[in-house]
């Protein structure tokens, strides 16, 4: 399950894809409002673990568009 700033991620501009071996968080057209802490929480039976990804979107003007793709595979990813 993905969260942004501790709240369940329900933003329709942010996509996630999860399989049995990995999960992918993707933002097709990123904006500054997408900046923040994203948390992946995984539960297998009675065990829970989580990993944080800190994303900062920067640009020179409000007209700029950004493409970002982030994924994790059993290790934390720094962006």
């Amino acid at each position: 399950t993905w969260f942004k700033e501790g709240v369940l991620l329900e933003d329709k501009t942010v996509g996630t894809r999860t399989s049995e071996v990995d999960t992918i968080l993707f933002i097709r057209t990123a904006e500054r409002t997408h900046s923040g802490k994203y948390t992946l929480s995984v539960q297998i039976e009675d065990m829970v673990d989580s990993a944080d990804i800190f994303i900062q979107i920067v640009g020179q003007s409000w007209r700029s568009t950004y493409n970002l793709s982030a994924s994790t595979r059993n290790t934390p990813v720094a962006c």
Side-chain angles (χ1 to χ4, degrees):
T1 306
W2 284 95
F3 299 86
K4 181 180 180 201
E5 305 297 344
V7 177
L8 183 63
L9 185 61
E10 296 181 323
D11 185 340
K12 300 300 180 197
T13 65
V14 178
T16 60
R17 186 171 43 233
T18 303
S19 72
E20 290 184 18
V21 296
D22 66 1
T23 186
I24 298 171
L25 171 80
F26 56 93
I27 304 170
R28 296 279 183 220
T29 304
E31 299 176 2
R32 288 188 177 109
T33 58
H34 290 111
S35 296
K37 179 176 104 173
Y38 291 81
T39 302
L40 171 63
S41 179
V42 178
Q43 180 173 352
I44 301 173
E45 296 180 9
D46 61 345
M47 299 177 65
V48 177
D49 200 2
S50 65
D52 295 327
I53 299 173
F54 296 86
I55 296 176
Q56 182 178 12
I57 308 298
V58 294
Q60 295 182 355
S61 74
W62 64 271
R63 294 181 187 185
S64 299
T65 58
Y66 314 89
N67 293 312
L68 171 70
S69 177
S71 66
T72 62
R73 281 199 175 170
N74 301 325
T75 57
V77 173
C79 296

